[in-house]
Amino acid sequence: QKEVEQDPGPLSVPEGAIVSLNCTYSNSAFQYFMWYRQYSRKGPELLMYTYSSGNKEDGRFTAQVDKSSKYISLFIRDSQPSDSATYLCAMKNTGGFKTIFGAGTRLFVKA
Amino acid sequence: EAGVTQFPSHSVIEKGQTVTLRCDPISGHDNLYWYRRVMGKEIKFLLHFVKESKQDESGMPNNRFLAERTGGTYSTLKVQPAELEDSGVYFCASSQKQGGQETQYFGPGTRLLVL
């Protein structure tokens, strides 16, 4: 069983839709939870960083962590064609250096 | 400020040959990471340098892979001899702060194809 599970999609939505991306994990030691965005032929770029449980909002993006369910989410409001990319969840232990990635979800936002 | 750069962007080699990938981190970043993404799979950690020292190399697949970081600046990842299963995208990332809430900045990756 993988430590981090993420549906690879693809997920296709119309412009302006609310997008929900999710990951589940099995390692209860994970404390740091990240979402990366990766455009084609580029490296991943950090979007959101959350420590332990709770919500974090940044503009149109909201990250949620539910440690009791081992489930994390990223919501994108008012999605734009420029949001079309692969979104990767990632996590690591407290004091750990090794980041564990999900497989990534491919998102297409249609104009 | 220049980001993380990687060279070459693409490499096509035959099985049994040697390939060396290079990563130049952001200036002043002590932490340097190598990751690999094999087609259809997730990005996987290979190793972590703090300055010139290897902090964690538990993700290195086998002894055909050798990473170095000369003087704590740029890093090289050598694959010798290359096998078909080594094909994939190799990413380098660097960061200032170690562990915890650190921001890792990724390079564009080197796409390696072993024929």
Side-chain angles (χ1 to χ4, degrees):
Chain A
Q1 183 191 5
K2 291 181 183 177
E3 283 191 279
V4 179
E5 297 279 357
Q6 183 176 11
D7 186 338
L11 178 62
S12 183
V13 302
E15 183 176 358
I18 296 173
V19 176
S20 172
L21 303 166
N22 312 292
C23 288
T24 58
Y25 63 95
S26 57
N27 188 344
S28 57
F30 288 142
Q31 292 283 354
Y32 293 93
F33 303 91
M34 291 80 73
W35 285 95
Y36 285 85
R37 177 176 61 195
Q38 185 178 16
Y39 291 113
S40 181
R41 301 293 179 180
K42 302 284 188 182
E45 171 195 15
L46 183 66
L47 260 185
M48 300 286 284
Y49 207 130
T50 309
Y51 173 71
S52 194
S53 283
N55 295 357
K56 187 172 183 179
E57 189 173 318
D58 184 2
R60 296 184 296 113
F61 298 90
T62 300
Q64 288 185 352
V65 175
D66 181 351
K67 292 194 68 184
S68 63
S69 302
K70 295 191 180 69
Y71 186 88
I72 70 170
S73 302
L74 177 71
F75 298 96
I76 307 174
R77 290 182 298 281
D78 187 26
S79 57
Q80 302 295 309
S82 58
D83 295 329
S84 298
T86 296
Y87 289 80
L88 303 140
C89 64
M91 40 201 87
K92 61 182 179 181
N93 301 343
T94 300
F97 313 112
K98 187 185 299 187
T99 302
I100 309 299
F101 283 87
T105 299
R106 195 106 185 262
L107 172 67
F108 295 95
V109 181
K110 299 171 293 184
Chain B
E1 180 185 273
V4 176
T5 56
Q6 292 186 245
F7 183 83
S9 59
H10 295 78
S11 181
V12 181
I13 61 172
E14 292 189 351
K15 175 182 172 181
Q17 289 186 322
T18 297
V19 64
T20 300
L21 314 181
R22 173 170 169 144
C23 168
D24 285 81
I26 293 172
S27 177
H29 282 191
D30 287 341
N31 296 295
L32 188 148
Y33 301 83
W34 283 100
Y35 295 89
R36 176 174 76 170
R37 184 168 195 161
V38 172
M39 184 173 292
K41 301 286 182 88
E42 62 275 8
I43 295 174
K44 287 207 166 173
F45 168 89
L46 295 179
L47 90 159
H48 169 216
F49 284 100
V50 176
K51 296 184 180 179
E52 67 277 5
S53 300
K54 291 177 187 174
Q55 196 77 5
D56 181 354
E57 53 183 329
S58 62
M60 295 287 261
N62 51 60
N63 59 10
R64 294 186 293 103
F65 288 74
L66 175 64
E68 293 178 325
R69 189 177 184 193
T70 307
T73 55
Y74 71 93
S75 174
T76 58
L77 180 64
K78 181 190 287 188
V79 185
Q80 180 181 30
E83 298 289 343
L84 301 180
E85 64 265 25
D86 300 332
S87 297
V89 184
Y90 290 77
F91 291 104
C92 173
S94 71
S95 73
Q96 276 187 314
K97 183 179 175 184
Q98 185 169 301
Q101 192 155 337
E102 65 167 331
T103 298
Q104 293 186 22
Y105 296 87
F106 280 75
T110 294
R111 281 149 187 81
L112 174 64
L113 180 59
V114 183
L115 300 175

